[in-house]
Amino acid sequence: MSPIQDIAFVRYQVTDLERMQSFLADFGLHTVARTPHALYSRAAGAMHHVHIAELGPENATVGFGLLARSAEALAEVAARAGRPVETNPEPGGGQRVRFTDPAGFVVDVIHGQATHAPLPVREPLAFNGASGRRRLGQPIRLKPQPSSVMRLGHVALLVADFPKSLAFYREVLGFVPSDTYWAGNEANTIAAFMHCGLGEQWTDHHTLALIGAQDGLSRFDHSAFEVIDLDDVVQGGEWLKQRGHKHSWGVGRHIQGSQIFDYWRDPFGHKIEHWTDGDLVNDGTPVGHAPVTPDELRQWAPPLDPEFFA
């Protein structure tokens, strides 16, 4: 079984913390701590923070945090990675094991970090479909506002050496493929959507996606944050549009993972996603293996702009 329960946070380097803080507020995140050199933002859920922006001379994707299942699981990660368990010096505290993965990302596996009381948000809206009507005498009335981001769901990584990264996350951290992509021939696997290998426990279709970088440069493709429901995706997108932020692609529904998605760009060009209604899998779910094509990215969506792949 994987020692990892879930993803905890993503870590970026940016040239302007004020601009990032303003964007994240419009995206649906909330500042929980700020120093002269870093900004820590939370979602509406209990995690202490889900997004870290560090001040630096250039904009870059630095790494991410993963949540260990237990103190024993954290010790297991330390043994596998050959790194010590240490006190986490960042806001939220707890303990961590820090290492650099084969693609150069800084990975913090954490346990015992402080949590928050969840923020108040509305319930998912009952939906009156053509059959099984559930919303009786209850009109829907929403007001313009940012999405209610509930949690960080996954990070997608472009990696210089895909086979090496795939082997590392399978063997060291116990991630399991849910779906994979091939190019040219079926033996040439170039991408993997991976879930935490938790046996029979249901978990997100992917917590981590690995994609071979065609230019050989490792970086994030995107980070993805779960919101309440479809209305929250669209409502939050309208808020971001009104505030002058750059849209990338959506709204649509993916194939692998089935999420309803909407992609935006932060002020520094990083791609960031609102999503809802994703698949759940466990270690007994059959693994898909499909050819990579533009049509594999969506069941329905607006036409893809080449900007999405920049």
Side-chain angles (χ1 to χ4, degrees), residues 2-3 16 29 45 82 92 109 122 158 187 199 209 214-215 239 259 286-287 291 303 306:
S2 173
D16 189 329
L29 297 181
V109 180
R122 67 168 175 80
L158 294 167
Q214 295 184 7
D215 59 6
W239 181 267
Q259 298 93 338
V287 179

Side-chain angles (χ1 to χ4, degrees), residues 289-308:
H289 190 51
V292 61
T293 70
D295 290 339
E296 274 295 312
L297 294 178
R298 82 283 185 133
Q299 300 182 55
W300 53 263
L304 257 174
D305 191 298
E307 181 277 341
F308 181 77

